[in-house]
């Protein structure tokens, strides 16, 4: 995230780097010792033979622990054109040993957008400093994981800018923008030119837990 701030080790311990031939291709999230949640558009229909999942670090220029995948599951109704149902799961060949820098994220228990008051997007690529679905920078990709504070916005506001927006996709803007209240259940975060497959995490009130409420689905 070119305009964000650096993530410190252990701050987002669920964020992983999905790599091919040692190069970062997409982000992902630890949801259990054996499962990684990511975006379906990062892959073809089959698991690449050279795929690895790097865990436990924020700097891709340093050696990270690598996990080998066993299988890949794409959402059965994933549409590569519209990016609807852009969800994939990677089953690892052996479980992750949890530590302060390798912890699964919580999964959401409600779909009410107004519940999630403190949200962050993170990634190793560039993103915008304004409305994330409209504007984006072309800053050089950083080897250090970065974060930016975002706010969920209504589907009505999304449709004002993206009339062809398909169902099940949500939008967010940075804290500089002005969001709207209301709205229904949503599933994805649409962030062009951002680290695809990475998480949008939110908390609520004074809880110390973080919940993944979206997957970055870049166009």
């Amino acid at each position: 995230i070119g305009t964000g701030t650096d993530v410190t080790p252990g701050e987002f311990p669920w964020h992983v780097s999905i790599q091919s031939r040692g190069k970062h291709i997409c982000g992902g999230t630890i949801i259990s010792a054996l499962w990684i949640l990511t975006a379906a558009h990062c892959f073809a229909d089959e698991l690449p033979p050279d795929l690895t999942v790097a865990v436990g670090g924020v700097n891709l220029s340093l050696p990270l622990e690598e996990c080998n995948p066993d299988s890949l599951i794409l959402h059965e109704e994933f549409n590569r054109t519209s990016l609807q149902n852009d969800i994939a799961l990677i089953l690892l060949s052996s479980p992750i040993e949890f530590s302060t820098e390798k912890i699964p994220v919580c999964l959401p228990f409600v779909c009410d957008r107004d519940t999630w008051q403190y949200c962050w997007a993170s990634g190793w690529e560039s993103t915008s400093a304004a409305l994330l679905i409209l504007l984006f920078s072309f800053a050089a990709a950083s080897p250090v994981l970065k974060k930016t504070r975002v706010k969920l916005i209504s589907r009505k506001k999304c449709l004002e800018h993206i009339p062809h927006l398909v169902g099940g996709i949500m939008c967010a803007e940075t804290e500089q923008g002005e969001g709207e209240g209301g709205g229904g259940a949503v599933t994805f975060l649409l962030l062009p030119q951002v680290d695809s497959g990475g998480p949008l995490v939110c908390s609520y009130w004074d809880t110390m837990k973080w919940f993944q409420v979206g997957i970055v689905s870049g166009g």
Side-chain angles (χ1 to χ4, degrees):
I1 294 182
T3 57
T5 56
D6 288 355
V7 173
T8 59
E11 185 177 5
F12 290 161
W14 45 79
H15 201 130
V16 304
S17 170
I18 299 171
Q19 302 184 356
S20 176
R21 299 180 182 178
K23 301 294 185 181
H24 175 81
I25 59 171
C26 276
T29 314
I30 301 171
I31 59 172
S32 76
L34 284 171
W35 290 99
I36 303 297
L37 178 64
T38 186
H41 78 266
C42 295
F43 312 97
D45 293 333
E46 297 181 356
L47 183 70
D50 56 0
L51 198 75
T52 58
V53 179
V55 303
V58 298
N59 191 335
L60 297 184
S61 66
L62 301 176
L64 298 179
E65 178 184 344
E66 293 186 352
C67 300
N68 294 317
D70 178 79
S71 58
L72 172 70
I73 302 174
L74 305 184
H75 193 290
E76 60 183 7
E77 296 183 3
F78 168 54
N79 186 307
R80 292 192 182 276
T81 301
S82 67
L83 295 183
Q84 193 165 19
N85 300 312
D86 191 10
I87 304 175
L89 288 168
I90 297 174
L91 175 63
L92 301 177
S93 59
S94 59
I96 297 171
E97 295 185 6
F98 296 146
S99 68
T100 56
E101 297 183 0
K102 295 175 291 180
I103 299 174
V105 73
C106 298
L107 296 179
F109 57 92
V110 295
C111 295
D112 178 19
R113 193 189 72 248
D114 293 333
T115 298
W116 309 112
Q117 299 180 347
Y118 308 100
C119 300
W120 293 87
S122 54
W124 279 283
E125 300 290 340
S126 60
T127 188
S128 70
L131 189 62
L132 294 176
I133 61 172
L134 297 178
L135 306 174
F136 49 88
S137 67
F138 289 92
S142 169
V144 178
L145 186 66
K146 292 183 179 293
K147 65 180 181 180
T148 189
R149 179 82 177 266
V150 298
K151 181 178 182 179
L152 305 184
I153 61 175
S154 69
R155 182 169 180 82
K156 178 181 178 181
K157 187 171 183 177
C158 277
L159 289 171
E160 292 175 358
H161 303 284
I162 307 180
H164 61 279
L165 190 69
V166 297
I169 294 181
M170 71 180 177
C171 304
E173 63 185 2
T174 61
E175 288 295 292
Q176 290 91 339
E178 295 180 0
E180 295 181 2
V186 287
T187 307
F188 291 96
L189 177 69
L190 185 63
L191 297 176
Q193 301 299 318
V194 184
D195 189 17
S196 292
L200 169 74
V201 296
C202 300
S203 187
Y204 66 99
W205 301 111
D206 294 326
T207 66
M208 297 300 293
K209 293 184 178 180
W210 291 95
F211 298 82
Q212 181 171 358
V213 301
I215 300 171
V216 176
S217 180

